[in-house]
């Protein structure tokens, strides 16, 4: 889940066990097996996979000698206990069962934690037991092949006999689609990977994340509990994770470094400043996943912009004309979807300002020609003046600040002016490089490509 850390990708060293598994898998996809017939492309895909296995075995993926790191951690896996995150956030973890929380729904679904081994772990908890009468326990295998394997092992039958509600493999409740979504006032626990407010249904429901074992045990108990034989324990992050040093520097602690402007890139931008003060506003908050399966016009996309974060946002933004939207840190976290940038552009947002962004969101915004800039100092100022919070808990999610933001991009700074023309503050912007500037100057990646092809 490297995107949650703001990364475009994550690379991991692999060992002989991984290489062996991949080699076996390459042979399997070209063979007939229970529940799955080989695709027409299976043979060529298997051949390519074997080539990659051979290349990785000959030159294993590993960090360069002398590589530097922002932070280094050593994790004591032996000290970890079953945890839950939430509700409605990935940033808060606690021991499973530390509090006796009643649940209404449980999910063992999605491509993430509904593998054959996950289903087996859930079956171990539910063998000979029943799901609590007030709990709806939804199960969907990660693929038809996984379901076939679980059926052959007998684990699938255990879940069904316990009272699980079977859903077909594929995207569903995890993305707020189809049967089994969370309703207002309900509490649920899911073995999925994201639980942003409203992602799995109503924004007035609460979703926690946990392992398949915890989800299954909780479904039977009707409350969040650890797996059988595991005593609820306090979570001491300092005991489990030891920091081995860090090297952090804020890019804007001093004057912005000189950075020229490419032709066509705006020298100035201005607009009424809107403040959405939560940190970690997710792409589900900006543009809900259910709309990904709808064919919406530009106007219709604008109509649903930020609706999951704040249903009042659209009206406030339109009253401002072409506002400049400011937010907290890690704006655009979560699933990578370019519609989360497009909907704000269609709504008329002139530019984004934030303490930081998810790297995937930055790329999607630039590819769609939506100007965005980092200014941690501005974020701190607005937090102190207008408040802050999280996507799931904030008093005023959207604030019409009464300030006008003037972006002087030649100087890489933003100046705030109040309604009587008095200066409220000047803050540095992190300069954009020439490649990012070109994308904004052209209106996005597709216009840039067309222009390049004409050269």
């Amino acid at each position: 889940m490297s995107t949650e850390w703001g990364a475009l990708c994550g690379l991991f060293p692999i060992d002989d066990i991984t290489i062996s598994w991949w080699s076996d898998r390459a042979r399997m996809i070209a063979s007939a097996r229970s529940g799955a017939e080989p695709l027409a492309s299976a043979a060529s895909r298997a051949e390519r996979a074997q080539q990659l296995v051979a290349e990785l075995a000959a030159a294993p993926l590993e960090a360069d000698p002398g590589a530097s790191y922002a932070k280094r951690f050593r994790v004591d896996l032996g000290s970890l206990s079953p945890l839950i995150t939430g509700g409605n956030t990935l940033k808060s973890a606690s021991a499973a069962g530390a509090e006796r929380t009643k649940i209404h729904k449980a999910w063992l679904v999605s491509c993430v934690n509904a593998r054959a081994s996950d289903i087996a772990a859930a079956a171990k908890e539910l063998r000979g037991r029943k799901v609590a009468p007030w709990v709806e326990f939804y199960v969907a295998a990660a693929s038809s092949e996984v379901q076939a394997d679980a059926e052959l092992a007998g684990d699938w039958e255990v879940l069904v006999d316990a009272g699980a509600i079977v859903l077909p493999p594929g995207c569903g409740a995890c993305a707020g689609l189809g049967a089994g979504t969370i309703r207002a006032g309900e509490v649920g626990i899911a073995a999925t990977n994201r639980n942003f407010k409203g992602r799995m249904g109503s924004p007035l429901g609460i979703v926690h994340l946990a392992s398949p074992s915890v989800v299954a045990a909780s479904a039977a108990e009707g409350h969040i509990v650890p797996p059988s034989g595991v005593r609820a324990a306090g979570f001491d992050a300092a005991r489990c994770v030891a920091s081995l040093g860090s090297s952090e520097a804020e890019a804007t602690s001093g004057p912005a470094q000189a950075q020229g402007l490419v032709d066509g890139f705006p020298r100035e931008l201005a607009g009424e400043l809107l403040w959405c003060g939560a940190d970690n506003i997710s792409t589900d908050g900006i543009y809900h996943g259910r709309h990904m399966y709808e064919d919406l016009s530009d106007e219709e996309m604008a109509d649903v912009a930020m609706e999951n974060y704040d249903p009042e946002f659209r009206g406030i933004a339109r009253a401002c004309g072409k506002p400049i939207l400011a937010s907290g840190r890690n704006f655009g976290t979560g699933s990578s979807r370019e519609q989360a940038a497009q909907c704000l552009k269609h709504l008329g947002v002139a530019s984004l300002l934030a303490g930081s962004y998810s790297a995937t969101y930055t790329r999607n915004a630039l590819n769609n020609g939506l100007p965005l800039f980092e200014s941690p100092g501005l974020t701190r100022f607005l937090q102190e003046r207008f408040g802050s919070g999280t996507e799931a808990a904030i008093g005023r999610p959207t604030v019409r600040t009464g300030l006008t933001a003037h972006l002087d991009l030649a100087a890489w700074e933003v100046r705030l002016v109040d309604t009587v023309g008095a200066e409220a503050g000047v803050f540095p912007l992190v300069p954009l490089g020439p490649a990012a500037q070109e994308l904004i100057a052209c209106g996005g990646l597709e216009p840039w490509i067309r222009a390049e092809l004409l050269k």
Side-chain angles (χ1 to χ4, degrees):
M1 300 313 301
S2 55
T3 55
E4 258 70 41
W5 293 80
L8 285 172
C9 70
L11 301 177
F12 294 84
I14 58 176
D15 56 17
D16 291 341
I17 295 174
T18 307
I19 289 176
S20 176
W21 178 90
W22 198 0
S23 181
D24 292 342
R25 181 69 186 173
R27 288 191 292 270
M28 181 187 300
I29 62 175
S31 306
R33 58 199 183 279
S34 176
E37 290 296 323
L39 299 173
S41 62
S44 61
R45 289 166 49 229
E47 182 180 359
R48 176 58 180 153
Q50 290 289 15
Q51 290 174 352
L52 290 173
V53 167
E55 292 172 7
L56 285 171
L61 181 67
E62 58 187 7
D64 294 333
S68 60
Y69 302 92
K71 286 188 177 182
R72 295 169 60 94
F73 297 96
R74 178 180 289 116
V75 180
D76 180 2
L77 298 180
S79 66
L80 293 177
S81 58
L83 303 177
I84 63 170
T85 63
N88 294 355
T89 178
L90 297 171
K91 304 296 183 180
S92 174
S94 60
E99 295 183 7
R100 189 169 174 80
T101 302
K102 183 176 180 179
I103 63 170
H104 307 89
K105 284 188 170 75
W107 300 271
L108 179 59
V109 298
S110 89
C111 56
V112 179
N113 272 346
R115 299 157 294 190
S117 58
D118 301 318
I119 293 169
K124 180 181 178 181
E125 293 298 320
L126 288 173
R127 189 167 277 107
R129 304 177 70 187
K130 294 291 184 182
V131 173
W134 61 86
V135 174
E136 297 173 19
F137 178 37
Y138 292 92
V139 177
S143 68
S144 57
E145 177 190 333
V146 167
Q147 183 171 333
D149 289 344
E151 289 173 349
L152 189 63
D155 296 324
W156 193 258
E157 183 180 3
V158 172
L159 302 187
V160 173
D161 288 346
I165 302 168
V166 175
L167 298 176
C171 289
C174 173
L177 303 169
T181 55
I182 194 81
R183 297 190 182 96
E186 290 183 332
V187 176
I189 188 167
T192 58
N193 62 331
R194 295 186 175 109
N195 63 337
F196 303 121
K197 185 185 76 170
R199 175 183 171 89
M200 295 187 67
S202 171
L204 300 179
I206 296 175
V207 178
H208 299 272
L209 300 185
S211 70
S213 295
V214 172
V215 168
S218 301
E221 185 71 17
H223 295 78
I224 296 177
V225 295
S228 301
V230 177
R231 185 170 57 87
F235 174 51
D236 182 358
R239 182 171 59 90
C240 301
V241 182
S243 175
L244 303 182
S246 63
S247 175
E248 297 180 87
E250 188 173 286
T252 56
S253 58
Q257 297 178 352
Q259 175 64 61
L261 304 184
V262 303
D263 292 341
F265 185 74
R267 290 186 166 273
E268 295 181 346
L269 290 170
E272 184 174 341
L273 189 67
L274 280 184
W275 172 238
C276 291
D279 288 330
N280 305 301
I281 294 181
S282 68
T283 50
D284 279 289
I286 302 167
Y287 191 86
H288 197 286
R290 65 176 176 272
H291 299 310
M292 300 284 290
Y293 298 84
E294 301 170 346
D295 185 13
L296 302 185
S297 66
D298 293 353
E299 181 66 21
E300 288 170 331
M301 290 179 69
D303 285 342
V304 299
M306 302 288 282
E307 67 173 2
N308 202 33
Y309 169 72
D310 179 11
E312 304 300 321
F313 173 85
R314 179 191 63 182
I316 298 172
R318 283 191 165 142
C320 297
K322 292 186 176 296
I324 290 177
L325 172 59
S327 190
R329 294 179 292 271
N330 200 25
F331 185 85
T333 189
S335 300
S336 173
R337 57 185 66 145
E338 64 176 351
Q339 293 87 345
Q342 291 170 339
C343 68
L344 295 176
K345 186 175 181 180
H346 296 328
L347 186 59
V349 172
S351 176
L352 299 177
L353 296 169
S356 61
Y357 301 89
S358 162
T360 51
Y361 188 87
T362 296
R363 174 55 62 184
N364 283 327
L366 293 174
N367 285 349
N368 283 279
L370 177 62
L372 76 171
F373 307 94
E374 292 186 8
S375 182
L378 171 67
T379 293
R380 287 193 294 269
F381 171 81
L382 294 174
Q383 287 174 332
E384 293 171 1
R385 188 159 179 173
F386 299 107
S388 60
T390 67
E391 190 175 61
I394 185 168
R396 292 195 296 166
T398 306
V399 178
R400 195 170 180 179
T401 64
L403 301 171
T404 300
H406 296 268
L407 279 64
D408 182 348
L409 300 178
W412 294 108
E413 65 181 24
V414 55
R415 182 168 60 93
L416 302 184
V417 177
D418 65 20
T419 54
V420 298
E423 186 177 280
V426 179
F427 306 92
L429 301 172
V430 177
L432 294 181
Q437 291 183 38
E438 285 184 21
L439 289 173
I440 293 173
C442 290
L445 181 60
E446 290 186 13
W448 180 86
I449 292 174
R450 286 194 291 268
E452 289 296 304
L453 291 174
L454 292 174
K455 291 181 178 179

